[in-house]
Amino acid sequence: MGDQQNAGKCPVMHGGNTQEKADVVAWWPESLKLDILHQHDRKTNPMGEAFDYREEVKKLDFAALEKDMHELMTDGQDWWPADWGHYGGLMIRLAWHAAGTYRIADGRGGAGTGNQRFAPINSWPDNGNLDKARRLLWPLKKKYGNKVSWADLFILAGNVAYESFGFKTFGFSYGREDIWHPETDIYWGAEKEWLAPSDERYEDVEKPDTMENPLAAVQMGLIYVNPEGVNGQPDPQKTAEQVRVTFARMAMNDEETAALTAGGHTVGKTHGNGDAEALGPEPEGADVHEQGLGWHNPNLNGKATNAVTSGIEGAWTTNPTQFDMGYFDLLFGYEWELKKSPAGAWQWEPIDIKEEHKPVDTTDPSVRRNPIMTDADMAMKVDPAYRAICETFMKDPEYFKDCFARAWFKLTHRDMGPKPRYIGPDVPAEDLIWQDPVPAGNTNYSVEAVKDMIAESGLSIGEMVSTAWDSARTFRGSDMRGGANGARIRLAPQKDWEGNEPDRLAKVLKVYETIAAESGASLADIIVLAGSVGIEQAARAAGHEVLVPFSPGRGDASDEMTDVDSFEPLEPLADGFRNWLKKDYVVKPEEMLLDRAQLMGLTGPEMTVLIGGMRVLGTNYGDTTHGVLTDREGQLTNDFFVNLTDMANTWEPTGKNAYNIVDRKNGNTKFTATRIDLVFGSNSILRSYAEVYAQDDNQEKFIQDFINAWTKVMNADRFDLEKLQKS
């Protein structure tokens, strides 16, 4: 009645679903969220189809922008006063928190898309007042326009801030492309309130490694850990254990973690000098007159001293606008005790600190304030492993600076993919193992001759297509990792993954190695090319002559180029395209298929046509016949869709994730299937795609669409063919 009453007061009919909560499928909360496959399409992008940011940024006057960025650091604004007249600490936090959402489990998050401009991240408690940092950058974005993305600006601001503080960074790359609305594919946790107790994310909160995957933060709305301690209760050793897990989940080891903690807290300060309850709502919750700014502080009065952000109050070092060894000097030079900040947050303060070791007030240099440490800082002192690393840093400041520079570069570039994607004058020459380097491949060989050798090898269509697919399916558009280039499927850990059928894989690779030795083609090229041969043979068997596009030039990575530990998270736990599950999971098989398709950058129709084609080609894991809805296995036909949509059939459950497709008239079982197969008939959206491919007049369309989607998957990591990718 409430909505009807409100409508009665309004002279304008409110017929549009204009609020996020008014989801048309909210009645059925377990419906597949297929929209994640179609976010960031051309309709949301104001730049138009012809715009190519990665080409546009190459025209940027890099030196001019960076000069302006340096000047911005000390160009104070009355509406948001700078700490000690320098915005560097704020800009470092901006960059850190943009990059710090990255998690290695699925490659999602990170700074690569400029997603910090949008909900929910722009309104996370941990991102308090970073809206001000973004507004401070607006004059530069306005000036340089299309030649620099917000995503690049965020990270550049952090780099320039460190340079302004006297630190030499490792390098910087441009090339991050902005998105234009929130990322709807990323799962940030199931909690319905900010900073809900950590217990909800763990099987046992006392065991940090039981935190729900793929999450890499201990509470909703935080980047990593609670700075006050586990669930806000100080205990540095317990916090250390959470720090170790959260940083590992974003691909950092203990040394990198300690370096980042120390280097991040060598400059800048926390803000909690006032009543946190007095702050206004976050940006997404603020009224229109706030113009997208949040956390309004009625007590700021133009003084940086009065800022309230985290609730913790103080600087970590004596000289917070200089990059020095002051963090270690204070942390290890004094004993520390628990205190409450003016905002009521737990923090550690030094006992009997010398007056000259206190940092000066951010507004009034005649006043000195106690430095502080968070529970995570104290963890560096209390935890034996972190303490040993910090002691090494203290003995060798140059080593510390190098470790921090490299860790900061990794933090801010981890989701950019391999080095060939880097742009700009400050790209480091050194190849780093976490960049997944791949040497250039040979293009000086006869593709047709290699195809003939593959065709005469005796391998089946299923073996050729499955091996190519398994090699390419690891690609993640989230962080540009994985894919067929490099042929890492022949190396540890991939060669031993259960989903790759190691025995079958070894047999196929042995054949390919012989062809590679005779032809000069890389194994990576041969793996992909063999998939093309299999598809062309299957199409020919169905009466269609086709040519699968192929671009030579993939290289073969070595064991030395491969970080085994960082590749482990890329192991598929399921592959709906090959109708395989490693084991039964709480998550439905079709949801795991959807997640994989989104990471691979597939649309709904592309996912659909690939499923239909893969089934009839005989690519199922272990040669099972589930979903092979054809009597012509090995021929590229639309039979999967024809039989799935045929009302002469009915479908009977036979067990967990197992179904028979039965003739309605005689009761005979015609085929078997899994949920992955049947969802393309049961889900109304997927069925609409399936019906297209089942039509009598769309057999050729099916084949061409399959080839197009297949080629997209095979070329997903060919960053040397970027222009081709966009076509």
Side-chain angles (χ1 to χ4, degrees):
M1 281 299 291
D3 288 344
Q4 291 178 346
Q5 289 172 348
N6 289 335
K9 297 175 183 177
C10 180
V12 179
M13 179 62 74
H14 189 179
N17 263 334
T18 56
Q19 293 186 324
E20 286 288 339
K21 63 184 179 182
D23 189 336
V24 295
V25 293
W27 298 97
W28 305 279
E30 295 195 22
S31 296
L32 283 178
K33 190 177 176 64
L34 290 165
D35 288 354
I36 68 172
L37 302 180
H38 307 131
Q39 56 183 342
H40 316 310
D41 70 3
R42 68 186 65 170
K43 289 185 178 180
T44 66
N45 191 331
M47 303 309 300
E49 287 185 64
F51 179 76
D52 184 342
Y53 173 68
R54 291 182 54 80
E55 289 301 314
E56 196 71 15
V57 74
K58 295 173 184 176
K59 306 171 188 175
L60 176 67
D61 187 335
F62 302 110
L65 170 60
E66 291 169 30
K67 179 177 180 292
D68 286 347
M69 184 74 80
H70 270 280
E71 292 175 357
L72 179 148
M73 295 295 159
T74 53
D75 183 15
Q77 303 296 315
D78 292 341
W79 59 269
W80 193 253
D83 297 332
W84 306 284
H86 202 300
Y87 289 118
L90 178 65
M91 294 303 172
I92 288 167
R93 181 165 163 259
L94 173 78
W96 186 304
H97 283 224
T101 57
Y102 174 81
R103 65 269 185 117
I104 197 171
D106 60 3
R108 293 186 172 103
T113 61
N115 63 356
Q116 199 196 68
R117 292 137 60 221
F118 304 117
I121 302 171
N122 69 353
S123 294
W124 276 1
D126 221 359
N127 287 339
N129 291 324
L130 289 181
D131 52 347
K132 318 306 189 300
R134 295 189 293 272
R135 290 298 171 86
L136 288 167
L137 291 176
W138 167 241
L140 298 188
K141 175 63 175 145
K142 182 175 182 294
K143 177 178 179 178
Y144 292 94
N146 298 335
K147 292 184 177 62
V148 66
S149 66
W150 278 109
D152 278 344
L153 272 179
F154 295 164
I155 302 305
L156 179 66
N159 260 40
V160 170
Y162 271 118
E163 298 276 352
S164 181
F165 287 146
F167 179 74
K168 179 61 180 170
T169 58
F170 188 75
F172 177 79
S173 171
Y174 294 86
R176 303 166 184 83
E177 296 183 71
D178 287 335
I179 56 174
W180 298 97
H181 65 78
E183 293 167 309
T184 58
D185 60 293
I186 305 180
Y187 172 69
W188 296 117
E191 301 95 326
K192 302 301 183 185
E193 61 179 295
W194 301 125
L195 306 179
S198 293
D199 309 62
E200 297 186 30
R201 295 197 167 200
Y202 295 83
E203 291 181 20
D204 182 351
V205 76
E206 300 295 324
K207 299 177 180 177
D209 61 349
T210 66
M211 181 167 60
E212 180 185 0
N213 262 319
L215 302 179
V218 302
Q219 288 174 273
M220 174 62 75
L222 294 181
I223 303 295
Y224 304 122
V225 300
N226 190 320
E228 295 184 71
V230 178
N231 281 334
Q233 299 302 310
D235 185 331
Q237 186 56 58
K238 289 181 71 172
T239 294
E241 292 161 5
Q242 287 199 335
V243 168
R244 181 166 284 113
V245 170
T246 57
F247 273 69
R249 289 192 174 193
M250 50 118 8
M252 297 293 176
N253 61 28
D254 274 3
E255 185 175 68
E256 291 166 326
T257 301
L260 283 169
T261 302
H265 293 171
T266 293
V267 293
K269 71 180 292 286
T270 63
H271 300 84
N273 194 23
D275 180 10
E277 296 297 319
L279 297 181
E282 67 280 0
E284 286 299 305
D287 204 349
V288 292
H289 71 277
E290 300 287 1
Q291 289 292 281
L293 292 177
W295 301 288
H296 174 69
N297 184 346
N299 303 316
L300 187 62
N301 296 323
K303 295 181 178 180
T305 303
N306 297 335
V308 179
T309 298
S310 67
I312 295 171
E313 170 58 27
W316 292 270
T317 66
T318 308
N319 302 301
T321 59
Q322 298 174 25
F323 195 93
D324 54 23
M325 297 298 287
Y327 177 84
F328 300 109
D329 294 339
L330 293 189
L331 179 61
F332 289 90
Y334 287 99
E335 295 301 314
W336 297 75
E337 62 183 347
L338 271 175
K339 294 280 188 74
K340 280 287 185 82
S341 76
W346 285 115
Q347 59 188 43
W348 294 83
E349 296 185 24
I351 300 172
D352 297 328
I353 187 172
K354 295 178 180 177
E355 190 70 13
E356 64 266 26
H357 288 168
K358 296 179 179 180
V360 300
D361 182 82
T362 56
T363 305
D364 184 355
S366 68
V367 176
R368 289 186 177 269
R369 307 275 187 187
N370 258 3
I372 59 92
M373 296 287 165
T374 70
D375 217 53
D377 296 304
M378 297 302 297
M380 299 297 114
K381 186 175 183 176
V382 170
D383 181 82
Y386 288 139
R387 185 181 182 104
I389 293 166
C390 288
E391 288 172 346
T392 300
F393 289 159
M394 288 188 285
K395 291 175 185 174
D396 191 343
E398 292 306 310
Y399 180 70
F400 161 62
K401 290 175 184 177
D402 183 65
C403 284
F404 172 68
R406 290 170 177 273
W408 174 259
F409 182 77
K410 181 178 177 180
L411 171 74
T412 52
H413 291 74
R414 188 70 172 90
D415 63 337
M416 286 195 71
K419 191 173 165 183
R421 300 194 71 247
Y422 288 13
I423 296 170
D426 297 318
V427 173
E430 185 178 342
D431 290 326
L432 306 166
I433 195 168
W434 56 262
Q435 296 170 328
D436 304 336
V438 175
N442 180 27
T443 58
N444 190 26
Y445 65 89
S446 170
V447 171
E448 288 305 315
V450 174
K451 288 177 72 171
D452 289 341
M453 295 167 75
I454 294 168
E456 294 167 5
S457 68
L459 295 174
S460 70
I461 289 172
E463 288 172 325
M464 292 187 288
V465 175
S466 294
T467 303
W469 179 264
D470 290 352
S471 183
R473 69 180 171 190
T474 52
F475 178 75
R476 307 191 308 198
S478 53
D479 58 357
M480 307 298 171
R481 299 191 71 206
N485 199 7
R488 284 190 166 91
I489 195 171
R490 76 195 199 286
L491 306 175
Q494 296 188 37
K495 66 182 180 64
D496 301 313
W497 286 346
E498 182 181 331
N500 287 341
E501 297 179 280
D503 291 342
R504 186 255 318 153
L505 176 62
K507 169 199 168 184
V508 173
L509 289 178
K510 188 174 181 180
V511 173
Y512 292 168
E513 285 165 359
T514 302
I515 297 172
E518 293 179 8
S519 67
S522 67
L523 273 169
D525 267 356
I526 292 171
I527 290 168
V528 173
L529 190 55
S532 302
V533 170
I535 291 167
E536 290 170 5
Q537 289 179 351
R540 191 175 302 117
H544 301 271
E545 285 293 332
V546 300
L547 184 66
V548 179
F550 175 78
S551 299
R554 296 170 183 82
D556 293 334
S558 64
D559 286 313
E560 292 72 29
M561 299 172 179
T562 304
D563 184 354
V564 172
D565 290 341
S566 81
F567 269 97
E568 286 289 4
L570 271 68
E571 179 184 2
L573 303 179
D575 185 0
F577 296 95
R578 294 191 61 212
N579 228 339
W580 171 71
L581 284 172
K582 190 171 183 178
K583 61 180 183 180
D584 289 330
Y585 299 97
V586 173
V587 180
K588 296 188 185 83
E590 58 268 33
E591 293 179 81
M592 300 183 79
L593 168 69
L594 181 59
D595 181 68
R596 172 57 50 185
Q598 195 279 329
L599 286 172
M600 294 172 70
L602 298 172
T603 66
E606 288 169 340
M607 176 181 73
T608 302
V609 77
L610 282 168
I611 285 281
M614 295 283 283
R615 290 293 188 271
V616 299
L617 291 176
T619 61
N620 273 4
Y621 179 93
D623 294 322
T624 69
T625 58
H626 299 313
V628 184
L629 312 184
T630 183
D631 297 321
R632 301 181 286 173
E633 185 176 337
Q635 297 184 30
L636 189 55
T637 68
N638 64 341
D639 287 0
F640 174 87
F641 301 108
V642 170
N643 286 303
L644 186 69
T645 57
D646 190 347
M647 290 307 295
N649 300 324
T650 188
W651 302 264
E652 297 178 354
T654 60
K656 187 175 179 64
N657 195 28
Y659 303 83
N660 285 346
I661 296 182
V662 176
D663 188 296
R664 286 183 185 272
K665 290 185 176 179
N666 59 31
N668 294 333
T669 297
K670 299 166 73 173
F671 306 105
T672 61
T674 67
R675 292 185 63 89
I676 291 291
D677 306 303
L678 296 194
V679 77
F680 288 89
S682 65
N683 181 279
S684 58
I685 297 171
L686 294 178
R687 187 178 185 93
S688 73
Y689 302 148
E691 289 170 346
V692 169
Y693 293 121
Q695 291 175 192
D696 293 346
D697 61 349
N698 276 342
Q699 294 182 53
E700 290 189 7
K701 174 179 171 59
F702 158 74
I703 291 173
Q704 193 55 59
D705 285 3
F706 176 82
I707 291 171
N708 291 344
W710 174 270
T711 305
K712 177 177 176 177
V713 171
M714 294 300 120
N715 287 339
D717 63 343
R718 292 296 304 277
F719 302 116
D720 55 324
L721 305 175
E722 258 192 352
K723 289 191 175 180
L724 176 65
Q725 304 263 32
K726 292 179 180 291
S727 63

